[in-house]
């Protein structure tokens, strides 16, 4: 498919465990974004990558959150020592540098018990 | 200050009527883009319409139009002839510094929940 894909679609974990969420952007898109959306809330910006530039991490809520993007393509968002308040849908989006809009993936629903 | 403000947490509209969803933005850039996204209960984010800051005409996409008032920094979404399938969350967003291609961060509002009544 040509769209943004994310895996897993659902993740249930126990408090204190680490989780990794994966995003495959649209091929050729240089910008990649991670957002968090809690139930009934808007999108909370977490981090974005633009080409080979240093990522903008200003939205990461704590040092338990980190993300990397390998080879300018796939990105992994890692949450260490998960807490119940981390439960949310994590959305990934990509954009071409000259693109007019972001294309969103289907999201990963994370539930921390 | 909030970059994007959506002051209507919830809206109701009668089927086949038109509805306006409000959005105001804050930027000092001259070149920026404004977007509206729809998020149905299924969760996916669907791009609806785009307005560039230098576009002289209001953007239109089928039943969607964007009422762009640059001096007021508002970018309201108008949905004409509402349908039951329009019931969803609607998010306004902005991307700054388009011409320089350096501004790639998108700012989202808190959303408006639209319910279409049969």
């Amino acid at each position: 498919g040509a769209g943004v894909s994310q895996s897993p679609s659902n993740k249930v974990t126990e408090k204190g465990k680490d989780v990794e969420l994966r995003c495959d952007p649209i091929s050729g898109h240089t910008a990649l974004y991670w957002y968090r959306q809690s139930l009934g809330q808007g999108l909370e910006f977490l981090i974005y990558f633009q080409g080979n530039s240093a990522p903008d991490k200003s939205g990461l809520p704590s040092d338990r959150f980190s993300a990397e993007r390998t080879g300018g393509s796939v990105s992994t968002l890692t949450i260490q020592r998960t807490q119940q308040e981390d439960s949310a849908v994590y959305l990934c989006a990509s954009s071409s540098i000259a693109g007019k809009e972001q294309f969103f993936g289907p999201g990963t629903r994370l539930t921390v018990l | 200050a909030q970059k994007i403000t959506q002051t209507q947490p919830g809206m109701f509209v009668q089927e086949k009527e038109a509805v306006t969803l409000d959005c105001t933005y804050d930027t000092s850039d001259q070149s920026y883009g404004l977007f509206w996204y729809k998020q149905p209960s299924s969760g996916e984010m669907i791009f609806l319409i785009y307005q560039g800051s230098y576009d002289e005409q209001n953007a239109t996409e089928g039943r969607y139009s964007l009422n762009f008032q640059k001096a007021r920094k508002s970018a309201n979404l108008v949905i004409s002839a509402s349908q039951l399938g329009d019931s969803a969350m609607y998010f306004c967003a902005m991307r700054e510094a388009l011409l320089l291609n350096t501004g790639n961060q998108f700012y989202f509002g808190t959303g408006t929940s639209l319910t279409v009544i049969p």
Side-chain angles (χ1 to χ4, degrees):
Chain A
V4 178
S5 60
Q6 292 186 246
S7 61
S9 55
N10 280 283
K11 176 73 176 178
V12 180
T13 189
E14 294 179 347
K15 178 181 173 182
K17 300 284 189 183
D18 297 351
V19 295
E20 285 189 352
L21 312 179
R22 178 188 168 104
C23 172
D24 282 272
I26 291 173
S27 177
H29 279 188
T30 57
L32 186 148
Y33 310 76
W34 282 99
Y35 297 92
R36 178 170 70 176
Q37 187 176 30
S38 301
L39 187 64
Q41 301 298 309
L43 276 70
E44 176 188 5
F45 165 76
L46 296 178
I47 185 171
Y48 92 84
F49 299 87
Q50 172 56 55
N52 296 320
S53 302
D56 178 350
K57 305 180 182 180
S58 59
L60 294 178
S62 77
D63 58 8
R64 296 187 295 105
F65 288 72
S66 63
E68 61 178 23
R69 188 178 184 192
T70 54
S73 181
V74 172
S75 177
T76 302
L77 176 69
T78 301
I79 309 173
Q80 296 178 308
R81 305 181 302 280
T82 52
Q83 304 294 314
Q84 289 182 332
E85 60 262 29
D86 299 335
S87 296
V89 175
Y90 289 82
L91 290 163
C92 174
S94 71
S95 171
S96 69
I97 192 167
K100 291 183 178 178
E101 75 262 27
Q102 298 175 98
F103 296 86
F104 281 83
T108 293
R109 183 175 298 278
L110 175 66
T111 303
V112 182
L113 301 176
Chain B
Q2 292 286 337
K3 287 282 188 180
I4 296 288
T5 302
Q6 294 180 256
T7 58
Q8 306 155 314
M11 290 282 286
F12 293 86
V13 63
Q14 202 74 36
E15 192 178 8
K16 300 180 185 178
E17 297 292 314
V19 63
T20 298
L21 306 183
D22 294 342
C23 173
T24 57
Y25 59 92
D26 180 29
T27 182
S28 57
D29 283 0
Q30 296 301 307
S31 175
Y32 50 90
L34 297 157
F35 308 79
W36 278 91
Y37 286 85
K38 173 184 178 181
Q39 188 178 43
S41 57
S42 54
E44 75 267 34
M45 291 286 284
I46 303 167
F47 167 73
L48 295 178
I49 195 167
Y50 165 83
Q51 179 84 43
S53 58
Y54 288 110
D55 294 341
E56 294 186 352
Q57 297 203 348
N58 287 344
T60 60
E61 290 285 348
R63 293 186 299 110
Y64 304 108
S65 61
L66 201 150
N67 184 0
F68 181 45
Q69 297 188 43
K70 197 170 182 177
R72 295 184 179 184
K73 294 189 175 178
S74 75
N76 299 340
L77 176 70
V78 180
I79 305 174
S80 62
S82 297
Q83 301 172 356
L84 295 178
D86 294 335
S87 294
M89 283 290 290
Y90 288 81
F91 292 96
C92 179
M94 176 177 67
R95 178 184 172 191
E96 295 176 309
L98 285 180
L99 291 181
L100 294 176
N101 273 332
T102 57
N104 239 318
Q105 186 170 350
F106 283 69
Y107 301 94
F108 282 81
T110 52
T112 295
S113 176
L114 177 66
T115 302
V116 180
I117 304 167

Short mmCIF file of all heavy atoms in Angstrom, two decimals, chain A residues 31 33 35 37 41-43 45 48 50 56 91 95-102 104, chain B residues 35 37 39 43-45 47 50 89 91 95 98 101-106 108-110:
data_model
loop_
_atom_site.label_atom_id
_atom_site.label_comp_id
_atom_site.label_asym_id
_atom_site.label_seq_id
_atom_site.Cartn_x
_atom_site.Cartn_y
_atom_site.Cartn_z
N ALA A 31 9.45 14.20 5.98
CA ALA A 31 9.02 14.60 7.31
C ALA A 31 8.15 13.53 7.93
O ALA A 31 7.27 12.96 7.27
CB ALA A 31 8.25 15.92 7.25
N TYR A 33 6.03 12.58 11.70
CA TYR A 33 5.52 13.16 12.94
C TYR A 33 4.93 12.07 13.81
O TYR A 33 4.32 11.13 13.32
CB TYR A 33 4.39 14.15 12.66
CG TYR A 33 4.67 15.18 11.59
CD1 TYR A 33 4.65 14.84 10.25
CD2 TYR A 33 4.92 16.50 11.94
CE1 TYR A 33 4.89 15.79 9.27
CE2 TYR A 33 5.16 17.46 10.97
CZ TYR A 33 5.15 17.10 9.64
OH TYR A 33 5.38 18.04 8.68
N TYR A 35 2.21 11.90 17.10
CA TYR A 35 1.25 12.59 17.93
C TYR A 35 0.65 11.59 18.91
O TYR A 35 0.62 10.39 18.66
CB TYR A 35 0.09 13.18 17.10
CG TYR A 35 0.48 14.24 16.10
CD1 TYR A 35 0.80 13.90 14.79
CD2 TYR A 35 0.50 15.58 16.46
CE1 TYR A 35 1.14 14.87 13.86
CE2 TYR A 35 0.84 16.56 15.54
CZ TYR A 35 1.15 16.20 14.25
OH TYR A 35 1.49 17.16 13.33
N GLN A 37 -2.99 11.04 21.09
CA GLN A 37 -4.37 11.48 21.25
C GLN A 37 -5.02 10.67 22.36
O GLN A 37 -5.29 9.48 22.19
CB GLN A 37 -5.15 11.33 19.94
CG GLN A 37 -6.54 11.95 20.00
CD GLN A 37 -7.27 11.89 18.68
OE1 GLN A 37 -7.08 10.98 17.88
NE2 GLN A 37 -8.12 12.87 18.42
N GLN A 41 -9.77 13.65 23.19
CA GLN A 41 -8.94 14.87 23.17
C GLN A 41 -8.40 15.14 21.77
O GLN A 41 -8.54 14.33 20.85
CB GLN A 41 -7.78 14.71 24.15
CG GLN A 41 -8.19 14.46 25.58
CD GLN A 41 -8.99 15.58 26.16
OE1 GLN A 41 -8.59 16.75 26.08
NE2 GLN A 41 -10.14 15.28 26.74
N GLY A 42 -7.75 16.30 21.65
CA GLY A 42 -7.11 16.65 20.39
C GLY A 42 -5.76 15.97 20.25
O GLY A 42 -5.38 15.12 21.05
N LEU A 43 -5.04 16.37 19.22
CA LEU A 43 -3.73 15.79 18.96
C LEU A 43 -2.65 16.54 19.73
O LEU A 43 -2.56 17.76 19.67
CB LEU A 43 -3.40 15.84 17.47
CG LEU A 43 -3.95 14.71 16.62
CD1 LEU A 43 -5.46 14.80 16.50
CD2 LEU A 43 -3.30 14.69 15.25
N PHE A 45 1.25 17.03 19.94
CA PHE A 45 2.48 16.83 19.19
C PHE A 45 3.55 16.23 20.10
O PHE A 45 3.75 16.69 21.23
CB PHE A 45 2.97 18.16 18.63
CG PHE A 45 4.39 18.16 18.16
CD1 PHE A 45 4.73 17.55 16.96
CD2 PHE A 45 5.39 18.74 18.91
CE1 PHE A 45 6.05 17.53 16.52
CE2 PHE A 45 6.71 18.74 18.48
CZ PHE A 45 7.04 18.13 17.28
N TYR A 48 9.00 15.45 15.74
CA TYR A 48 9.04 15.28 14.31
C TYR A 48 10.46 15.25 13.77
O TYR A 48 11.37 15.84 14.33
CB TYR A 48 8.15 16.29 13.57
CG TYR A 48 8.79 17.58 13.13
CD1 TYR A 48 9.49 17.67 11.93
CD2 TYR A 48 8.62 18.72 13.88
CE1 TYR A 48 10.03 18.87 11.52
CE2 TYR A 48 9.15 19.93 13.47
CZ TYR A 48 9.85 20.00 12.28
OH TYR A 48 10.38 21.18 11.87
N GLN A 50 12.78 15.65 10.22
CA GLN A 50 12.82 16.26 8.89
C GLN A 50 14.15 15.91 8.26
O GLN A 50 15.19 16.46 8.64
CB GLN A 50 12.64 17.77 8.98
CG GLN A 50 12.87 18.52 7.68
CD GLN A 50 11.99 18.01 6.56
OE1 GLN A 50 10.77 17.96 6.69
NE2 GLN A 50 12.60 17.62 5.46
N ASP A 56 12.90 17.49 16.18
CA ASP A 56 12.29 18.40 17.14
C ASP A 56 11.60 17.56 18.20
O ASP A 56 10.55 16.97 17.95
CB ASP A 56 11.29 19.30 16.43
CG ASP A 56 10.57 20.26 17.38
OD1 ASP A 56 10.70 20.11 18.61
OD2 ASP A 56 9.86 21.15 16.88
N LEU A 91 -0.48 8.39 16.98
CA LEU A 91 -0.64 8.58 15.54
C LEU A 91 0.68 9.01 14.93
O LEU A 91 1.39 9.86 15.47
CB LEU A 91 -1.70 9.64 15.25
CG LEU A 91 -3.15 9.25 15.56
CD1 LEU A 91 -4.03 10.49 15.63
CD2 LEU A 91 -3.68 8.30 14.51
N SER A 95 4.87 13.67 5.67
CA SER A 95 4.62 14.78 4.75
C SER A 95 5.84 14.96 3.86
O SER A 95 6.96 14.80 4.32
CB SER A 95 4.36 16.06 5.55
OG SER A 95 4.30 17.19 4.72
N SER A 96 5.60 15.28 2.62
CA SER A 96 6.72 15.65 1.77
C SER A 96 7.12 17.08 2.12
O SER A 96 6.33 17.85 2.62
CB SER A 96 6.32 15.58 0.29
OG SER A 96 5.39 16.59 0.00
N ILE A 97 8.33 17.44 1.89
CA ILE A 97 8.80 18.76 2.29
C ILE A 97 8.02 19.85 1.58
O ILE A 97 7.86 20.94 2.08
CB ILE A 97 10.32 18.90 2.04
CG1 ILE A 97 10.85 20.15 2.73
CG2 ILE A 97 10.63 18.90 0.55
CD1 ILE A 97 12.35 20.21 2.81
N ALA A 98 7.53 19.52 0.41
CA ALA A 98 6.76 20.52 -0.32
C ALA A 98 5.27 20.22 -0.28
O ALA A 98 4.51 20.86 -0.96
CB ALA A 98 7.24 20.59 -1.77
N GLY A 99 4.91 19.24 0.52
CA GLY A 99 3.53 18.78 0.54
C GLY A 99 2.60 19.74 1.25
O GLY A 99 3.00 20.54 2.07
N LYS A 100 1.37 19.67 0.92
CA LYS A 100 0.39 20.54 1.53
C LYS A 100 -0.23 19.94 2.77
O LYS A 100 -0.82 20.64 3.55
CB LYS A 100 -0.71 20.87 0.51
CG LYS A 100 -0.24 21.74 -0.63
CD LYS A 100 -1.40 22.08 -1.53
CE LYS A 100 -0.95 23.01 -2.65
NZ LYS A 100 -2.07 23.31 -3.57
N GLU A 101 -0.15 18.66 2.92
CA GLU A 101 -0.80 18.09 4.09
C GLU A 101 -0.02 16.90 4.60
O GLU A 101 0.87 16.38 3.94
CB GLU A 101 -2.24 17.66 3.77
CG GLU A 101 -2.34 16.38 2.95
CD GLU A 101 -2.53 16.65 1.49
OE1 GLU A 101 -2.09 17.70 1.02
OE2 GLU A 101 -3.10 15.79 0.81
N GLN A 102 -0.35 16.50 5.81
CA GLN A 102 0.19 15.29 6.39
C GLN A 102 -0.74 14.14 6.06
O GLN A 102 -1.95 14.32 5.99
CB GLN A 102 0.27 15.40 7.91
CG GLN A 102 1.17 16.48 8.42
CD GLN A 102 1.06 16.57 9.91
OE1 GLN A 102 1.87 16.02 10.64
NE2 GLN A 102 0.04 17.24 10.38
N PHE A 104 -1.89 10.57 7.54
CA PHE A 104 -1.86 9.89 8.83
C PHE A 104 -1.95 8.38 8.67
O PHE A 104 -2.64 7.87 7.78
CB PHE A 104 -3.01 10.36 9.71
CG PHE A 104 -2.77 11.69 10.35
CD1 PHE A 104 -3.02 12.86 9.67
CD2 PHE A 104 -2.29 11.75 11.65
CE1 PHE A 104 -2.79 14.09 10.26
CE2 PHE A 104 -2.06 12.98 12.26
CZ PHE A 104 -2.31 14.15 11.56
N PHE B 35 -5.28 23.89 7.32
CA PHE B 35 -5.82 22.59 6.95
C PHE B 35 -7.01 22.26 7.85
O PHE B 35 -7.07 22.69 9.00
CB PHE B 35 -4.79 21.48 7.16
CG PHE B 35 -3.47 21.73 6.51
CD1 PHE B 35 -2.52 22.59 7.07
CD2 PHE B 35 -3.14 21.10 5.32
CE1 PHE B 35 -1.30 22.81 6.48
CE2 PHE B 35 -1.92 21.32 4.71
CZ PHE B 35 -1.00 22.17 5.29
N TYR B 37 -9.04 18.66 9.02
CA TYR B 37 -9.09 17.20 9.01
C TYR B 37 -10.37 16.75 9.69
O TYR B 37 -10.88 17.39 10.62
CB TYR B 37 -7.90 16.61 9.79
CG TYR B 37 -6.59 16.69 9.08
CD1 TYR B 37 -5.80 17.84 9.15
CD2 TYR B 37 -6.11 15.62 8.32
CE1 TYR B 37 -4.58 17.93 8.50
CE2 TYR B 37 -4.88 15.70 7.67
CZ TYR B 37 -4.14 16.85 7.77
OH TYR B 37 -2.92 16.93 7.12
N GLN B 39 -12.09 13.43 11.69
CA GLN B 39 -11.78 12.18 12.37
C GLN B 39 -13.08 11.50 12.80
O GLN B 39 -13.69 11.86 13.81
CB GLN B 39 -10.89 12.41 13.59
CG GLN B 39 -10.39 11.10 14.21
CD GLN B 39 -9.46 11.32 15.39
OE1 GLN B 39 -9.71 12.18 16.23
NE2 GLN B 39 -8.38 10.55 15.45
N GLY B 43 -11.52 6.58 13.96
CA GLY B 43 -10.21 7.06 14.40
C GLY B 43 -9.27 7.58 13.34
O GLY B 43 -8.31 8.26 13.67
N GLU B 44 -9.49 7.25 12.07
CA GLU B 44 -8.54 7.73 11.08
C GLU B 44 -8.68 9.23 10.86
O GLU B 44 -9.75 9.79 11.03
CB GLU B 44 -8.69 6.98 9.75
CG GLU B 44 -9.90 7.38 8.91
CD GLU B 44 -11.10 6.51 9.16
OE1 GLU B 44 -11.29 6.05 10.32
OE2 GLU B 44 -11.86 6.28 8.20
N MET B 45 -7.60 9.87 10.52
CA MET B 45 -7.58 11.30 10.24
C MET B 45 -7.66 11.48 8.73
O MET B 45 -6.82 10.99 7.99
CB MET B 45 -6.29 11.94 10.76
CG MET B 45 -6.19 11.98 12.26
SD MET B 45 -7.25 13.23 12.99
CE MET B 45 -6.31 14.70 12.62
N PHE B 47 -7.85 14.07 5.56
CA PHE B 47 -7.62 15.43 5.09
C PHE B 47 -8.83 15.90 4.29
O PHE B 47 -9.35 15.18 3.44
CB PHE B 47 -6.37 15.47 4.22
CG PHE B 47 -6.21 16.73 3.43
CD1 PHE B 47 -5.86 17.90 4.05
CD2 PHE B 47 -6.44 16.73 2.06
CE1 PHE B 47 -5.72 19.07 3.32
CE2 PHE B 47 -6.31 17.89 1.32
CZ PHE B 47 -5.94 19.07 1.95
N TYR B 50 -7.42 22.49 2.11
CA TYR B 50 -6.20 23.26 2.37
C TYR B 50 -6.36 24.69 1.85
O TYR B 50 -6.94 24.91 0.78
CB TYR B 50 -5.02 22.60 1.66
CG TYR B 50 -3.79 23.47 1.55
CD1 TYR B 50 -2.90 23.55 2.61
CD2 TYR B 50 -3.53 24.21 0.39
CE1 TYR B 50 -1.77 24.35 2.51
CE2 TYR B 50 -2.41 25.01 0.29
CZ TYR B 50 -1.53 25.07 1.35
OH TYR B 50 -0.41 25.86 1.25
N MET B 89 -15.31 14.26 14.56
CA MET B 89 -14.50 15.35 15.10
C MET B 89 -13.82 16.04 13.93
O MET B 89 -13.39 15.40 12.98
CB MET B 89 -13.43 14.80 16.05
CG MET B 89 -13.94 14.41 17.41
SD MET B 89 -14.41 15.82 18.41
CE MET B 89 -12.81 16.55 18.75
N PHE B 91 -10.76 18.83 13.00
CA PHE B 91 -9.58 19.52 13.52
C PHE B 91 -9.06 20.52 12.50
O PHE B 91 -8.91 20.21 11.32
CB PHE B 91 -8.47 18.51 13.85
CG PHE B 91 -8.79 17.60 14.99
CD1 PHE B 91 -9.32 16.34 14.78
CD2 PHE B 91 -8.55 18.02 16.30
CE1 PHE B 91 -9.62 15.51 15.84
CE2 PHE B 91 -8.84 17.19 17.37
CZ PHE B 91 -9.38 15.93 17.14
N ARG B 95 0.41 24.99 9.27
CA ARG B 95 1.83 24.74 9.03
C ARG B 95 2.45 26.07 8.66
O ARG B 95 1.96 26.76 7.78
CB ARG B 95 1.99 23.72 7.92
CG ARG B 95 3.44 23.42 7.54
CD ARG B 95 3.48 22.47 6.36
NE ARG B 95 4.83 22.32 5.85
CZ ARG B 95 5.11 21.71 4.70
NH1 ARG B 95 4.15 21.20 3.97
NH2 ARG B 95 6.37 21.60 4.30
N LEU B 98 6.05 28.08 4.97
CA LEU B 98 5.96 27.20 3.80
C LEU B 98 7.03 27.51 2.76
O LEU B 98 7.63 26.61 2.21
CB LEU B 98 4.58 27.33 3.15
CG LEU B 98 3.43 26.66 3.87
CD1 LEU B 98 2.15 26.88 3.11
CD2 LEU B 98 3.68 25.17 4.04
N ASN B 101 10.39 26.18 3.36
CA ASN B 101 10.42 24.73 3.50
C ASN B 101 11.14 24.28 4.75
O ASN B 101 11.66 23.18 4.81
CB ASN B 101 11.06 24.08 2.28
CG ASN B 101 10.02 23.81 1.20
OD1 ASN B 101 8.84 23.62 1.50
ND2 ASN B 101 10.45 23.79 -0.03
N THR B 102 11.24 25.14 5.72
CA THR B 102 11.88 24.74 6.96
C THR B 102 10.85 24.48 8.05
O THR B 102 11.13 23.79 9.01
CB THR B 102 12.85 25.82 7.46
OG1 THR B 102 12.12 27.03 7.62
CG2 THR B 102 13.98 26.02 6.49
N GLY B 103 9.70 25.07 7.91
CA GLY B 103 8.68 24.90 8.92
C GLY B 103 7.86 23.69 8.59
O GLY B 103 7.00 23.74 7.71
N ASN B 104 8.11 22.62 9.26
CA ASN B 104 7.36 21.42 8.94
C ASN B 104 6.47 20.98 10.08
O ASN B 104 5.84 19.95 10.00
CB ASN B 104 8.32 20.29 8.57
CG ASN B 104 8.04 19.78 7.18
OD1 ASN B 104 6.91 19.64 6.78
ND2 ASN B 104 9.09 19.53 6.44
N GLN B 105 6.46 21.75 11.15
CA GLN B 105 5.63 21.35 12.27
C GLN B 105 4.21 21.83 12.05
O GLN B 105 3.97 22.95 11.64
CB GLN B 105 6.16 21.94 13.57
CG GLN B 105 5.41 21.44 14.80
CD GLN B 105 6.09 21.83 16.09
OE1 GLN B 105 7.20 22.31 16.08
NE2 GLN B 105 5.40 21.63 17.19
N PHE B 106 3.28 20.93 12.29
CA PHE B 106 1.87 21.23 12.19
C PHE B 106 1.33 21.48 13.59
O PHE B 106 1.66 20.77 14.53
CB PHE B 106 1.10 20.07 11.57
CG PHE B 106 1.25 19.96 10.08
CD1 PHE B 106 2.46 19.59 9.51
CD2 PHE B 106 0.17 20.19 9.24
CE1 PHE B 106 2.59 19.48 8.13
CE2 PHE B 106 0.29 20.07 7.86
CZ PHE B 106 1.50 19.72 7.31
N PHE B 108 -2.22 21.71 15.74
CA PHE B 108 -3.62 21.30 15.69
C PHE B 108 -4.42 21.99 16.78
O PHE B 108 -3.94 22.22 17.89
CB PHE B 108 -3.74 19.79 15.87
CG PHE B 108 -3.41 19.01 14.63
CD1 PHE B 108 -2.10 18.75 14.28
CD2 PHE B 108 -4.42 18.54 13.80
CE1 PHE B 108 -1.79 18.04 13.13
CE2 PHE B 108 -4.12 17.83 12.65
CZ PHE B 108 -2.80 17.59 12.31
N GLY B 109 -5.68 22.26 16.46
CA GLY B 109 -6.61 22.72 17.47
C GLY B 109 -7.15 21.55 18.27
O GLY B 109 -6.82 20.38 18.01
N THR B 110 -8.00 21.86 19.24
CA THR B 110 -8.54 20.83 20.12
C THR B 110 -9.74 20.11 19.53
O THR B 110 -10.20 19.12 20.08
CB THR B 110 -8.95 21.43 21.46
OG1 THR B 110 -9.80 22.55 21.22
CG2 THR B 110 -7.73 21.89 22.25
#
